[in-house]
Amino acid sequence: MKPFLDLVGASGAAYRFRLLPDGQAHVPIAGNYVVVRPRGEGVKVVAVAATEDLSRAAGEQPAEIRRGASLYTRLNVARATREAEHADLAARYAPAPAESATPAGEG
């Protein structure tokens, strides 16, 4: 996976996330994160979340979502910013009932 991932929210705003390498601990700081799987030349977003402690992000998602996936994080200490960005990204990448609504090739 690439070290950085750019995703576009429903508003058209772009957000840059940084890969958290497997086995590496994250600093305990607030932020947003996405869980992605490789898909063709891009990625499929399987989870979008905000947390007050990114060091716990990997454990916040069920094993079936984490399996075969990569975790990307974005630091956002301000709660209002974190929540606004999460809402924007979730509006675009929230899974549909049967399959993810993720645009292919993002990143």
Side-chain angles (χ1 to χ4, degrees):
M1 294 298 252
K2 297 177 185 178
F4 293 96
L5 175 66
D6 294 322
L7 295 176
V8 178
S11 70
Y15 304 99
R16 176 160 281 191
F17 290 81
R18 185 177 190 152
L19 177 65
L20 182 65
D22 287 338
Q24 182 175 327
H26 201 291
V27 295
I29 191 167
N32 297 67
Y33 67 92
V34 293
V35 180
V36 301
R37 289 198 180 100
R39 178 189 229 177
E41 295 295 316
V43 298
K44 176 181 179 182
V45 177
V46 295
V48 175
T51 183
E52 292 185 16
D53 185 353
L54 285 168
S55 69
R56 298 180 186 175
E60 290 180 357
Q61 296 295 321
E64 60 270 11
I65 289 181
R66 294 190 323 260
R67 193 172 300 116
S70 296
L71 178 70
Y72 283 81
T73 63
R74 177 176 170 80
L75 305 181
N76 282 318
V77 177
R79 176 174 285 170
T81 301
R82 188 170 60 249
E83 290 174 352
E85 290 184 4
H86 175 261
D88 191 28
L89 289 162
R92 175 137 189 207
Y93 296 100
E99 183 172 321
S100 174
T102 307
E106 293 280 331

